[in-house]
Amino acid sequence: MVPSFANKLDALGAWRADLESRLGELSRFLFDHDLLDPPTSALLDSLTQRLAGEKLVVAFVAEFSRGKSELINAIFFADTGRRILPATPGRTTMCPVELSYDPDEPPSLKLLDIDTRLGSASLAELRGHPSAWKQVELNIKRPDLLAEELLQVMQTRKVPKEAARELGFWDDDRPEDNPPVDAAGMVEVPAWRHAIINYPHPLLKRGLVVLDTPGLNAIGAEPELTVSLLPSAHATVFILAADTGVTKSDLTIWREHLCGQPLARYVALNKIDSLSDPLSPSAEVEIHIARQRALTAQTLGIPENRVFPISAKQALAGRVSGDADVLRASRILALEDALGHQLLPQRREVLERVVLDGTSQITAQIGRRLNDRRRQLAEQLLELRGLRGKNSNMVGMMLKRVEAESAEFEQCIARVQAMRSVHTRMLKDALTTISNDVVREQTDMLQEKLRSSVLNFGVKRAFSDMCAVLREQLRKAQTQGHEIHDMLGASFTKLNAEFGFGLSVPAAPDLSQFIADLDMIERNYIQYLGLSHALRLSQHRFMEQFRRMLVSKLRVVFEGASSELELWNKTASSQIDSQLRERRRNFKRRRESLERIQAASNELEARIQEVSAQEERLRHLQARLATLIEGIEIAATGPLPMGGIESVTIELPLNAPASAQG
Ligand SMILES: Nc1nc2c(ncn2[C@@H]2O[C@H](COP(=O)(O)OP(=O)(O)OP(=O)(O)O)[C@@H](O)[C@H]2O)c(=O)[nH]1
Ligand SMILES: [Mg+2]
């Protein structure tokens, strides 16, 4: 039984794949007809990458033992016929587990040693260092082995109290949160800092990334998880147990990690099966569930229709055994429908806009070039037709005229060069405004302030001040972009008037999206700094991790803004190159055809026919281009294709470990 969310995600994947192949066709067409200039090629590449690399991250967050892993099994992996992620009573998942698929790597489980927390490298940095991870190839054809390997996410290790403190799992100021100490004075800590499962599941192949988190108590949580991974998830599912409702520790997690997030949040009131009672009529149980639902919504301050009473256990069991009644009783479909109905259209809308923006840019750029070529052919045709019945003297005069026009045209070069040097300088200034140096300088200054402040009072303030400076830099770059636009606009108008170019400046890129990204980073970090975590910043190691995490996040924003600016400038200036080339080629063609006519009297008609044929070919090219673009636009805005989900064949294990088989 395929979950409805899976079908929707699959349809989104098929839609993306269709657009990708259409963009590929457009790219080949442009290349074959010498129309693929570097900016268009870069634009097409970035569109394709965006479509192919688009990830949809869904994070499951809760206190321990609420059923996160079980719910992930039920929603995403029931069609494997078994329990994929370990889900057992008590603490099970000990480190964040990311499920995704990268076709360039074999199916594998990658584990990052907890000791890497002692170094200053952030998780993002360590992702780029394969040697830092223990990698186990997963044998997906042997589910018993697969399940056994995945049990490693449960692994713990005993260390002395001192080491636990070093690792961030012990805090003398919060004794109630500290793990128990055994008779030998040892404390149990997770063996791994992070796990990545590379698994060729059809949904993961389609770009879904599922993040399973360990029970999130404030102490010991990986900072990267709270500041970076959770905030960048597209949706979070927060899980509670129906019998207990919102407990104090549930509420702490909600407030500290999810409350301020603008992203899509779903609350699952899990384990409703445990409410059924042979001594009470089912109507009474229903009333009880409804009451818990209303109370949960009220406590968390969210609409009631965002709270889904479910039973992950029944959902998994129902799907695995194919029992429709059990599946219905689990009420999982309501949650999946909500995920599918709200989340996927949102993702699709974003991509749709990106694609439509791209096609309109391509239409403008290539359309302009084709029109320009056609105009020149029309002029040439007019010239040739005018030669009918004229003698060879006349042709000689025409040749001279072409020479003169060509020489006059070449005078534009000096003007173009002058404009170019102004343009280069202005662009350089704008790029300096938002360079990586600015990010580094500002974060260094912040670190200095934090280091010198006693116990980090004023941390939030210093951080907000830094964000304000960075925001100002982005705004300044936006203004500089507008200035470049105005300068190019004025120069292009003159060049068009004096030398017959057909130049036009595309609108300057809108950097407000990057400012919004910066705002988002600010919100997430402020939330983090507000926690007791701030105290931990006084430890040099955590401070360094914090700084590196922050720098890598800010870099993404600033580099994104820089490359938008650069691409836009390239597009504008490559127009001049292509039109210059086009015009020179045209002069050459005119000269050659006149020379041939001069040499042989019967050439004229042949030349006229040839130029007409060229004109005709261009008309076809334009029509074909319009069809290709229209095809992309219709596919982008049309309904999602109904793709059937690719089936996964995993044989059911005969003797899987009990905890993995359930
Ligand atoms: N009765 C009942 N038990 C459930 C349900 N969902 C999960 N459980 C049980 O609750 C226990 C914890 O489930 P997990 O999925 O491991 O919980 P978790 O939130 O991933 O816990 P951690 O990994 O420790 O953070 C397991 O014994 C599950 O079998 C449910 O819907 N009904
Ligand atoms: Mg778990």
Side-chain angles (χ1 to χ4, degrees):
M1 246 174 282
V2 174
S4 60
F5 177 66
N7 263 337
K8 295 229 170 52
L9 189 64
D10 195 49
L12 184 74
W15 173 83
R16 275 174 18 203
D18 176 43
L19 281 175
E20 257 178 79
S21 89
R22 284 172 189 275
L23 287 171
E25 197 187 346
L26 175 64
S27 170
R28 277 191 301 280
F29 167 80
L30 294 177
F31 179 80
D32 289 347
H33 297 95
D34 193 22
L35 287 166
L36 192 64
D37 50 18
T40 309
S41 161
L43 177 64
L44 280 168
D45 281 352
S46 92
L47 284 180
T48 315
Q49 266 167 24
R50 188 74 201 271
L51 283 169
E54 173 73 7
K55 297 280 183 204
L56 182 70
V57 183
V58 181
F60 289 73
V61 181
E63 185 47 294
F64 77 97
S65 218
R66 297 290 185 261
K68 296 175 290 290
S69 304
E70 188 76 337
L71 183 55
I72 293 174
N73 284 324
I75 298 184
F76 300 106
F77 301 111
D79 56 351
T80 61
R82 59 171 299 116
R83 180 171 282 137
I84 289 278
L85 295 175
T88 60
R91 282 186 192 281
T92 306
T93 315
M94 295 303 285
C95 65
V97 179
E98 227 175 281
L99 292 127
S100 56
Y101 185 60
D102 174 358
D104 296 334
E105 287 191 20
S108 61
L109 169 66
K110 287 199 289 183
L111 297 155
L112 186 62
D113 200 292
I114 194 71
D115 282 341
T116 56
R117 277 199 184 190
L118 299 174
S120 54
S122 69
L123 181 60
E125 287 167 321
L126 288 166
R127 279 175 198 270
H129 295 286
S131 60
W133 300 72
K134 174 186 166 192
Q135 182 160 349
V136 188
E137 281 206 19
L138 293 176
N139 192 338
I140 53 167
K141 296 234 164 76
R142 288 279 307 275
D144 49 339
L145 294 183
L146 172 70
E148 222 174 272
E149 295 292 4
L150 293 188
L151 291 180
Q152 295 198 63
V153 301
M154 297 173 64
Q155 258 177 20
T156 55
R157 193 202 285 170
K158 291 241 172 176
V159 297
K161 204 167 88 180
E162 211 26 65
R165 181 183 289 122
E166 271 294 292
L167 289 166
F169 292 103
W170 188 275
D171 186 347
D172 289 330
D173 295 330
R174 306 177 62 163
E176 69 282 7
D177 288 337
N178 287 336
V181 188
D182 70 7
M186 302 293 266
V187 173
E188 198 172 33
V189 299
W192 311 110
R193 179 175 175 186
H194 198 84
I196 299 176
I197 300 176
N198 192 43
Y199 186 75
H201 185 280
L203 293 177
L204 303 181
K205 281 185 185 171
R206 297 291 200 216
L208 177 74
V209 176
V210 177
L211 184 62
D212 188 11
T213 59
L216 269 188
N217 54 342
I219 178 168
E222 169 70 37
E224 196 117 357
L225 181 68
T226 47
V227 192
S228 178
L229 290 175
L230 290 183
S232 56
H234 300 103
T236 44
V237 181
F238 181 57
I239 300 148
L240 299 162
D243 50 352
T244 55
V246 189
T247 65
K248 187 163 167 278
S249 62
D250 288 327
L251 198 58
T252 311
I253 290 177
W254 173 262
R255 290 207 176 120
E256 291 193 348
H257 301 291
L258 298 169
C259 193
Q261 305 294 349
L263 41 80
R265 287 170 305 175
Y266 302 83
V267 176
L269 203 50
N270 192 26
K271 310 194 185 184
I272 51 168
D273 60 298
S274 65
L275 298 181
S276 56
D277 174 358
L279 299 183
S280 328
S282 61
E284 222 166 85
V285 175
E286 273 311 308
I287 293 172
H288 192 58
I289 292 177
R291 205 184 303 130
Q292 282 289 50
R293 186 183 189 199
L295 201 62
T296 302
Q298 196 190 351
T299 313
L300 301 182
I302 51 164
E304 215 176 296
N305 63 7
R306 280 288 169 133
V307 182
F308 299 86
I310 58 156
S311 164
K313 192 176 223 163
Q314 283 180 321
L316 180 61
R319 286 209 164 113
V320 168
S321 65
D323 187 332
D325 288 339
V326 175
L327 183 62
R328 200 172 316 111
S330 80
R331 306 202 196 177
I332 191 88
L333 293 177
L335 173 63
E336 288 174 352
D337 271 356
L339 281 169
H341 274 120
Q342 293 159 20
L343 193 58
L344 299 177
Q346 271 172 20
R347 297 312 301 154
R348 177 219 157 114
E349 243 169 63
V350 172
L351 285 179
E352 185 181 311
R353 250 198 318 275
V354 170
V355 170
L356 292 183
D357 275 359
T359 50
S360 80
Q361 272 188 52
I362 292 171
T363 311
Q365 266 158 244
I366 308 293
R368 204 181 304 116
R369 279 182 66 183
L370 286 175
N371 276 337
D372 212 45
R373 275 196 203 171
R374 279 186 66 181
R375 189 175 46 126
Q376 287 169 23
L377 284 179
E379 281 168 11
Q380 202 183 343
L381 209 55
L382 206 67
E383 189 175 78
L384 291 177
R385 288 202 177 117
L387 283 177
R388 279 184 175 136
K390 303 272 164 45
N391 59 18
S392 88
N393 257 355
M394 189 68 184
V395 178
M397 269 168 63
M398 295 283 298
L399 255 173
K400 283 211 184 86
R401 202 169 86 194
V402 172
E403 293 297 344
E405 271 180 33
S406 160
E408 197 182 325
F409 174 73
E410 289 301 323
Q411 284 172 11
C412 75
I413 295 298
R415 295 274 292 282
V416 168
Q417 265 162 2
M419 181 191 70
R420 280 241 160 96
S421 75
V422 177
H423 184 197
T424 311
R425 185 171 41 74
M426 289 176 85
L427 176 62
K428 200 169 146 225
D429 287 349
L431 291 175
T432 311
T433 308
I434 47 174
S435 71
N436 270 333
D437 290 345
V438 174
V439 172
R440 196 171 333 107
E441 230 167 70
Q442 288 300 319
T443 44
D444 283 352
M445 267 163 62
L446 175 71
Q447 193 180 17
E448 207 39 58
K449 274 192 211 160
L450 298 191
R451 206 178 276 142
S452 55
S453 67
V454 186
L455 270 182
N456 292 300
F457 289 122
V459 166
K460 277 189 176 186
R461 183 58 200 271
F463 181 70
S464 288
D465 287 350
M466 183 199 72
C467 290
V469 172
L470 291 177
R471 207 169 5 253
E472 212 29 65
Q473 292 299 105
L474 284 171
R475 292 213 181 97
K476 187 172 161 200
Q478 177 75 77
T479 311
Q480 287 169 311
H482 289 313
E483 284 166 5
I484 295 177
H485 180 270
D486 294 347
M487 185 282 290
L488 286 178
S491 306
F492 281 10
T493 308
K494 278 198 197 136
L495 285 171
N496 290 349
E498 287 179 36
F499 300 99
F501 281 103
L503 301 165
S504 81
V505 205
D510 179 10
L511 300 186
S512 60
Q513 77 193 76
F514 298 102
I515 296 179
D517 288 348
L518 179 62
D519 291 345
M520 168 93 132
I521 294 177
E522 179 172 2
R523 269 200 305 277
N524 294 334
Y525 275 73
I526 285 278
Q527 204 174 347
Y528 182 75
L529 291 172
L531 308 180
S532 48
H533 288 105
L535 285 175
R536 283 168 65 194
L537 285 178
S538 51
Q539 289 180 36
H540 172 72
R541 192 163 30 78
F542 282 108
M543 160 86 90
E544 183 54 22
Q545 274 180 15
F546 175 82
R547 192 188 66 87
R548 288 192 182 206
M549 238 158 39
L550 181 63
V551 169
S552 70
K553 284 261 138 188
L554 292 174
R555 274 209 169 149
V556 172
V557 176
F558 278 69
E559 281 170 6
S562 296
S563 55
E564 284 248 327
L565 258 184
E566 260 179 309
L567 182 62
W568 168 66
N569 279 278
K570 253 193 221 138
T571 311
S573 61
S574 80
Q575 252 185 73
I576 308 175
D577 292 329
S578 71
Q579 291 199 17
L580 267 176
R581 215 178 320 120
E582 208 60 63
R583 292 293 293 270
R584 283 180 178 144
R585 212 186 279 163
N586 192 42
F587 279 124
K588 190 165 159 246
R589 271 200 298 262
R590 274 169 73 190
R591 205 180 300 124
E592 281 171 359
S593 74
L594 286 170
E595 278 163 2
R596 260 186 262 165
I597 293 164
Q598 209 174 29
S601 55
N602 58 355
E603 266 290 309
L604 180 58
E605 286 311 314
R607 299 303 301 158
I608 289 178
Q609 260 172 31
E610 203 178 296
V611 176
S612 303
Q614 275 174 17
E615 228 261 317
E616 187 59 24
R617 226 181 26 242
L618 275 186
R619 220 199 315 269
H620 274 135
L621 277 188
Q622 265 179 326
R624 177 87 186 110
L625 177 67
T627 314
L628 283 172
I629 296 269
E630 199 189 9
I632 294 174
E633 289 175 348
I634 289 175
T637 51
L640 291 184
M642 285 312 296
I645 198 126
E646 176 189 340
S647 67
V648 212
T649 38
I650 292 192
E651 299 131 47
L652 277 176
L654 296 174
N655 284 315
S659 56
Q661 193 170 23

